[in-house]
Amino acid sequence: MLGGLVYSGRRAHCLRGFIFSGRCYYVEAFVLKFERSTNKGSEMLRQNRLAIALGILVFLLPAIFSTLNLYTDWLFFAETGFSAVFTKVLYAKAGVGILFGTILFAAISLNLFYANSLSFPYNRITVVGRTNLQKDEALRIARPLLMVATLVLSLFAWNWGSMQWEDLLLYLNRIDVGRLDPVLGKDIGFYLFTIPFMTAIKGFAGFTLITGAALSAPLYYVRGGITLSERGAFLDEKVRRHFALLVALYSVVVAAGFYLEGFKLLQANNGIFAGAGYVDVHARLLTFRLLTFLTPVAGIMLALAMVKGVWRTAIIAPVILGAIYFVGIRIYPGLLQKFKVAPNELALEMPYIENNIKFTRFGYDIDKIETIPFDVDTKLTATDIANNDATIKNIRLWDHAPLLKTYSQLQQIRTYYKFFDVDNDRYLVNGKYTQVMLSPRELSYADLPSKNWINERLIFTHGNGITFGPVSRISKEGLPEFFVKDIPAVSLADIKVTRPEIYFGELSNDYVVVKTRVPEFSYPTESGNINTTYAGKGGVVLDSLLKKVLFAARFKTEKLILSSDIAPESRIIYNRNISQRVKTLAPFLRFDGDPYMVVDEKGGLKWIIDAYTFSDRLPYSKPIKGGINYMRNSVKAVVDAYDGTVSFYVSDPDDVLVKAYSRIFPTLFRPMGEMSKYMREHIRYPHQFLQLQASIFAAYHMTDPKVFYNKENLWQIPALGEKPMEPYYTIMKLPGEKLEEYILLLPFTPSNRDNLTAWLTARCDGDNYGKVRAYTFPRDRLIYGPKQIDARINQDSFISQQLTLWNQRGSEVIRGSMLIIPIEKSLLYVQPLFLAADKAGLPELKRVIVAFNDEVVMEENLELALQRLFAGRKGAEAQLKAVATDVTPSSGSLAKEAMGIYERAVNLQKQGNWAGYGDELRKLEQVLKQMAK
């Protein structure tokens, strides 16, 4: 149904309408369809007001609870020493929120005030089906509704504005990078700091104008400024002037959007490369600049036409503007691409491809990678092996997954303890630089034998100790050796753990209360449980009823108020999960998913978490998942596992984003030099970041635009199975270096090929930390890749037979990670083999496969395998050189030895002694090789 203008008769009898062209009309409009009388309408109005009040209360409930949590959040920041960070963020959120909320409230109120101040010739409104509703009655309904809508929208603007605090602070503390974009000549800092804030302002301005018009329209309708008829809507001249002004202002906002779209073109994706291409620069960019100028002009023309009421003329300007947009952004670029760019793509796109290469390498910090030729050979000798003894002894044989299972079964001690992860690091153990595997023994609250509030919050409060051992040593049973083990911690080396309690970890629950009247469980013994009392400074003292009430509200439990076990000196420790802890303190950083634990110089346990600054605004940089196209590992966060102390150290002071954040939060970050020397010796290059850099470097090592366009030298990360290889840590002597160092290594193969083409390494020690090198192999010879070595292993008759026998006996054979170890100018390939009785069984390291050149051997340990490959034992070559003449056994003696080995092997086979049979076959192989020389 439609309301409208109804003809009322002659001019002399026009009492409740208005005169137009000598005739009388009155307004018939739909405001509300009452089912009751006007008196009952007042009752409905009161009920509506109650409903509105309840709605506002429900809307405000989250804000009320958030306000209650504000004090407990402040206590957490004060506990960690970062109260200045909390107040800075709080003031920024409140200030920006209030600013945007106030502006929106003022803008809408100004529109409504103006609309309410105007007078129109209609004094009543017809309510269809019943009676006439007086204007005052209609306004009594409309005004509260509009007021509530204004308040709600202002609260939304407040909430939205508070989320823009980071963009505002970065804009106010912006820094020039000193690198200009190659198309528009703007400093990169403009894209990182200014554009995000300008985009937010543009969006808010458009929303403000739209809501102002949207809320003014119903008020005009109620008051008679807007009427509906069968011919359409009728707007009073005063209303048209109002809306015309809003349209003109909105056109300026749209023009600003077109202006910003020109900059966003530099982040476009063209398929071949990221960033603006030839078509973008010569078609779309020019169109956006033209639209930036024409849109306000079109807005003014539309506004003038609205004021005059010439509606057909009014739509001309928007139609022309839309046509320009459609042709300039859609049609013309497509034609230009098809008929000019496509036939000459390389020539026309070359400068833009070069921009993409340059800025992508800058975005992921791979422009600093040093590329070095590695002229690989197969001349590795026993002497070389002996000279690289530190590298050999630190080849990681224990894979993370099997070792985690083994640790869990050997060192978990009780069911409520759990090893969540195994970390790789290096220590000076008994004076030797040693690569180790370390796993914290955390408390698993899901596995507590009796779950109740007292057990989970007061008694079982922490994990206990670590398991710590070398990466390559194996016991006779195929199990790992330990430097630190058991509860309480037993040290078998000079690494001592004096503070084994883990109150902050990867598995910690949300909160516990310590220093209560109930003793805390420390660890179990044969004679009973050992208790302890927390002696650290972590947590907040529950010394007042207010604190108990607020924490009870935060954690939704009344027990914090009612429990008699909580004493005045009791402390509540919360934000115990280390990832959550650092994210709460620095929400603008992205944290690595693999924190690792370090035993410090005093025997305490500390976590190191890598943190990243990032942006999705860098022009011409290839984006990864989530749109990020700039990332730096700029911060190392250190968390004390006992008292929760957190420190943030800047590891990349050249990063522009961390410079800006340091200006915003001067007390949050500390220079790397303030970290203790001992802890600096344990920072490592994050393997997840190197994996990301490697995935980008696989294509962007090609710096020649022609080579990049043709993908002539595209690399890929090799895969064994479905997953690509992951970077692995090792200790080795890099080519040209004199000392072994702790590095992170990852090989490359050519795209869709299996041979090796390069290996990427990130250095972790001392002043060389963060330096990344790419060693490239010659392209004129075959260097075996992981898949090819894996195929050679499968084709080896003895190894495949042995694996088949183990599988037939019901054991599960687990083939570990294949490691490629550069030694001198050669490559060793090492793969451990694990046996488990079943999937839940205890994995034992039973064999080690080593490949070099065209030879593949499998032995019980790495030393035996190397002896088989390199003249029987280390130093053999040196001993042979000391002999004046070569001494070799006669062929007759070797034949007799071979026959004896064969007879023993046959006897062992008949006895079913397959292990002995395999040993004899390996000895026979050695003799036959000597006979073949």
Side-chain angles (χ1 to χ4, degrees):
M1 298 177 62
L2 292 173
L5 297 178
V6 180
Y7 176 59
S8 182
R10 291 177 298 176
R11 178 173 182 176
H13 297 90
C14 190
L15 300 177
R16 59 186 184 95
F18 65 97
I19 299 170
F20 181 73
S21 299
R23 295 186 177 184
C24 178
Y25 292 83
Y26 69 92
V27 181
E28 183 177 81
F30 303 130
V31 180
L32 295 170
K33 185 174 181 180
F34 286 100
E35 298 296 339
R36 300 175 182 175
S37 65
T38 306
N39 293 333
K40 292 184 177 180
S42 300
E43 178 64 26
M44 181 178 289
L45 180 60
R46 285 192 293 271
Q47 294 175 359
N48 287 340
R49 288 175 177 172
L50 179 60
I52 291 169
L54 290 175
I56 293 175
L57 180 61
V58 171
F59 179 80
L60 291 176
L61 277 177
I64 294 171
F65 283 112
S66 177
T67 303
L68 291 176
N69 288 337
L70 200 62
Y71 180 65
T72 56
D73 287 337
W74 180 82
L75 289 174
F76 167 69
F77 276 82
E79 170 211 341
T80 52
F82 298 112
S83 55
V85 176
F86 178 82
T87 53
K88 187 69 167 282
V89 174
L90 178 63
Y91 291 157
K93 285 183 176 181
V96 181
I98 292 172
L99 176 64
F100 280 108
T102 303
I103 291 174
L104 184 68
F105 182 84
I108 296 176
S109 298
L110 182 63
N111 280 277
L112 294 179
F113 175 78
Y114 178 77
N116 198 51
S117 66
L118 299 178
S119 59
F120 303 100
Y122 324 130
N123 59 2
R124 70 180 70 185
I125 300 171
T126 300
V127 181
V128 176
R130 292 294 179 184
T131 183
N132 289 340
L133 180 66
Q134 296 295 327
K135 184 190 300 184
D136 293 342
E137 187 70 21
L139 288 175
R140 279 198 298 270
I141 298 172
R143 284 171 178 165
L145 291 175
L146 292 173
M147 183 181 297
V148 170
T150 302
L151 288 173
V152 170
L153 289 172
S154 299
L155 289 174
F156 273 119
W158 186 336
N159 183 60
W160 177 84
S162 66
M163 292 188 291
Q164 313 307 312
W165 67 271
E166 186 178 349
D167 288 341
L168 173 64
L169 292 180
L170 286 174
Y171 173 74
L172 296 176
N173 294 274
R174 59 192 181 276
I175 298 172
D176 285 340
V177 179
R179 186 186 292 249
L180 305 180
D181 83 74
V183 175
L184 300 173
K186 291 285 189 180
D187 187 87
I188 298 303
F190 175 78
Y191 294 88
L192 299 179
F193 305 119
T194 303
I195 284 185
F197 184 67
M198 291 176 65
T199 302
I201 294 297
K202 188 267 298 182
F204 174 74
F207 179 77
T208 301
L209 292 171
I210 290 173
T211 53
L215 293 185
S216 299
L219 184 59
Y220 279 129
Y221 182 72
V222 170
R223 303 192 69 248
I226 299 176
T227 58
L228 300 176
S229 71
E230 294 177 355
R231 296 182 179 181
F234 174 81
L235 276 68
D236 187 86
E237 182 182 355
K238 300 171 185 176
V239 177
R240 294 199 304 271
R241 288 178 180 174
H242 182 186
F243 285 169
L245 176 61
L246 295 179
V247 165
L249 293 175
Y250 189 74
S251 68
V252 175
V253 175
V254 175
F258 287 136
Y259 175 75
L260 294 175
E261 286 296 325
F263 295 105
K264 292 179 182 179
L265 280 177
L266 274 62
Q267 302 161 24
N269 187 3
N270 289 290
I272 301 175
F273 60 92
Y278 183 89
V279 171
D280 292 317
V281 172
H282 292 85
R284 294 189 178 95
L285 182 59
L286 296 177
T287 303
F288 281 131
R289 290 294 177 258
L290 182 63
L291 290 172
T292 301
F293 172 75
L294 291 180
T295 301
V297 176
I300 294 172
M301 292 175 62
L302 175 59
L304 292 175
M306 289 177 62
V307 171
K308 296 178 181 179
V310 189
W311 297 107
R312 292 183 180 180
T313 306
I315 65 172
I316 294 176
V319 168
I320 294 175
L321 205 65
I324 294 173
Y325 179 89
F326 185 73
V327 172
I329 303 299
R330 301 293 182 187
I331 303 298
Y332 177 60
L335 296 174
L336 188 63
Q337 175 68 32
K338 183 176 181 179
F339 294 105
K340 183 174 182 179
V341 176
N344 309 281
E345 191 169 48
L346 179 57
L348 294 177
E349 299 286 22
M350 186 178 295
Y352 307 106
I353 294 175
E354 189 173 0
N355 294 337
N356 170 234
I357 295 172
K358 178 181 177 182
F359 280 87
T360 298
R361 289 170 62 88
F362 168 74
Y364 298 99
D365 207 24
I366 59 176
D367 54 345
K368 299 176 183 177
I369 294 179
E370 182 183 6
T371 302
I372 302 173
F374 186 76
D375 190 13
V376 67
D377 61 34
T378 57
K379 299 177 182 179
L380 191 65
T381 64
T383 301
D384 295 327
I385 295 294
N387 291 337
N388 290 273
D389 185 61
T391 298
I392 299 299
K393 288 182 177 178
N394 285 287
I395 294 176
R396 177 175 60 81
L397 300 180
W398 285 101
D399 266 13
H400 290 75
L403 185 61
L404 185 62
K405 283 187 178 180
T406 303
Y407 277 177
S408 297
Q409 296 195 37
L410 297 180
Q411 283 290 303
Q412 191 166 289
I413 311 297
R414 291 290 188 272
T415 58
Y416 43 79
Y417 288 124
K418 186 173 183 178
F419 292 104
F420 180 72
D421 191 16
V422 180
D423 300 316
N424 193 294
D425 201 356
R426 73 286 196 196
Y427 287 78
L428 201 63
V429 181
N430 297 331
K432 293 183 178 180
Y433 197 51
T434 306
Q435 186 180 183
V436 302
M437 306 293 277
L438 184 153
S439 186
R441 188 184 293 105
E442 296 197 55
L443 192 66
S444 175
Y445 288 90
D447 297 315
L448 285 177
S450 177
K451 294 183 182 180
N452 55 63
W453 186 80
I454 292 179
N455 276 345
E456 294 183 32
R457 308 300 179 182
L458 307 185
I459 296 178
F460 291 91
T461 57
H462 58 275
N464 197 301
I466 60 172
T467 297
F468 179 107
V471 295
S472 59
R473 295 190 195 174
I474 315 165
S475 69
K476 293 180 179 179
E477 297 79 17
L479 300 175
E481 293 187 4
F482 300 101
F483 290 145
V484 179
K485 63 176 183 176
D486 297 341
I487 304 177
V490 176
S491 295
L492 305 178
D494 57 356
I495 303 295
K496 307 294 182 183
V497 178
T498 58
R499 178 61 79 182
E501 297 88 352
I502 303 173
Y503 284 86
F504 300 86
E506 295 181 87
L507 295 179
S508 303
N509 62 3
D510 48 1
Y511 77 96
V512 293
V513 183
V514 296
K515 302 185 77 171
T516 65
R517 297 184 177 95
V518 179
E520 293 177 55
F521 170 79
S522 184
Y523 59 87
T525 64
E526 293 182 359
S527 57
N529 293 336
I530 303 300
N531 296 324
T532 187
T533 300
Y534 183 71
K537 58 183 180 180
V540 175
V541 180
L542 294 174
D543 53 1
S544 69
L545 179 61
L546 175 62
K547 289 182 180 179
K548 292 181 180 181
V549 170
L550 291 175
F551 279 110
R554 179 189 182 102
F555 296 113
K556 299 178 177 61
T557 176
E558 73 286 352
K559 295 182 178 66
L560 286 172
I561 303 173
L562 302 178
S563 176
S564 59
D565 295 321
I566 298 178
E569 65 274 11
S570 296
R571 289 174 171 265
I572 183 168
I573 300 177
Y574 55 113
N575 288 332
R576 300 175 62 219
N577 182 281
I578 54 173
S579 296
Q580 175 191 347
R581 193 171 184 84
V582 293
K583 285 177 183 177
T584 303
L585 294 170
F588 43 83
L589 298 177
R590 178 166 292 196
F591 291 91
D592 197 275
D594 185 28
Y596 62 100
M597 179 167 277
V598 174
V599 182
D600 69 14
E601 62 269 38
K602 297 180 181 179
L605 302 178
K606 293 183 178 179
W607 295 94
I608 296 181
I609 311 172
D610 287 284
Y612 307 93
T613 56
F614 61 96
S615 176
D616 59 357
R617 300 284 182 169
L618 184 65
Y620 276 108
S621 180
K622 177 183 177 180
I624 58 173
K625 186 177 180 180
I628 293 173
N629 58 14
Y630 176 93
M631 182 173 281
R632 292 288 188 276
N633 173 221
S634 300
V635 178
K636 305 286 185 180
V638 179
V639 183
D640 192 298
Y642 186 70
D643 62 23
T645 301
V646 181
S647 300
F648 295 95
Y649 298 95
V650 176
S651 56
D652 185 1
D654 295 328
D655 172 33
V656 64
L657 284 177
V658 86
K659 287 180 181 179
Y661 286 124
S662 297
R663 293 177 65 176
I664 297 171
F665 306 108
T667 61
L668 180 62
F669 299 105
R670 301 163 67 179
M672 204 67 186
E674 293 187 13
M675 182 186 287
S676 71
K677 182 177 181 297
Y678 182 90
M679 290 298 294
R680 286 202 304 274
E681 293 172 354
H682 290 277
I683 64 171
R684 65 185 195 185
Y685 201 88
H687 65 91
Q688 293 181 358
F689 189 48
L690 187 70
Q691 184 94 26
L692 168 63
Q693 288 180 308
S695 66
I696 301 296
F697 191 69
Y700 286 88
H701 71 277
M702 299 179 285
T703 54
D704 187 327
K706 293 182 181 179
V707 176
F708 182 90
Y709 176 82
N710 293 316
K711 296 181 171 55
E712 296 177 16
N713 191 24
L714 185 64
W715 296 349
Q716 67 183 18
I717 299 172
L720 280 178
E722 298 180 356
K723 294 180 61 177
M725 288 184 66
E726 295 184 355
Y728 50 90
Y729 295 98
T730 189
I731 290 177
M732 62 169 284
K733 191 187 300 179
L734 289 174
E737 302 294 335
K738 296 181 179 180
L739 297 175
E740 287 81 5
E741 56 186 289
Y742 188 66
I743 65 162
L744 186 60
L745 189 149
L746 183 66
F748 284 109
T749 62
S751 180
N752 299 319
R753 299 281 298 278
D754 294 331
N755 59 290
L756 284 183
T757 189
W759 54 285
L760 192 67
T761 181
R763 307 174 76 176
C764 300
D765 287 348
D767 294 336
N768 292 320
Y769 173 81
K771 294 180 180 179
V772 184
R773 290 179 177 178
Y775 292 92
T776 57
F777 297 122
R779 301 176 67 180
D780 59 351
R781 70 190 76 166
L782 173 65
I783 313 297
Y784 289 129
K787 276 189 177 180
Q788 293 169 321
I789 295 295
D790 189 64
R792 291 179 59 83
I793 292 172
N794 293 331
Q795 292 167 5
D796 186 279
S797 58
F798 172 72
I799 296 176
S800 61
Q801 181 186 31
Q802 192 68 51
L803 296 179
T804 302
L805 288 173
W806 281 325
N807 282 320
Q808 287 177 350
R809 292 178 179 178
S811 299
E812 182 188 10
V813 179
I814 305 170
R815 296 178 66 168
S817 301
M818 183 175 293
L819 306 181
I820 301 173
I821 308 297
I823 298 179
E824 301 297 337
K825 292 186 177 181
S826 302
L827 299 177
L828 273 182
Y829 304 82
V830 179
Q831 184 179 47
L833 283 182
F834 302 90
L835 287 184
D838 49 46
K839 290 187 177 181
L842 177 67
E844 299 176 359
L845 204 166
K846 284 299 186 183
R847 294 291 186 271
V848 177
I849 300 173
V850 180
F852 173 69
N853 197 12
D854 293 326
E855 296 182 84
V856 179
V857 300
M858 182 174 72
E859 284 292 346
E860 293 182 1
N861 55 52
L862 182 60
E863 287 75 14
L864 290 175
L866 292 173
Q867 286 178 21
R868 284 188 60 191
L869 282 174
F870 299 99
R873 60 189 178 89
K874 299 176 185 176
E877 186 178 87
Q879 293 177 7
L880 289 174
K881 286 183 179 178
V883 180
T885 58
D886 290 341
V887 179
T888 58
S890 66
S891 59
S893 63
L894 287 174
K896 289 180 181 178
E897 183 180 355
M899 190 63 192
I901 294 173
Y902 172 76
E903 290 174 351
R904 289 195 299 273
V906 171
N907 290 330
L908 290 170
Q909 184 185 35
K910 292 178 180 178
Q911 298 170 10
N913 187 348
W914 296 107
Y917 173 76
D919 292 336
E920 294 301 322
L921 284 183
R922 287 192 292 274
K923 293 177 183 177
L924 180 61
E925 181 187 22
Q926 285 294 114
V927 174
L928 292 175
K929 285 181 178 179
Q930 293 185 45
M931 292 177 66
K933 291 181 180 178

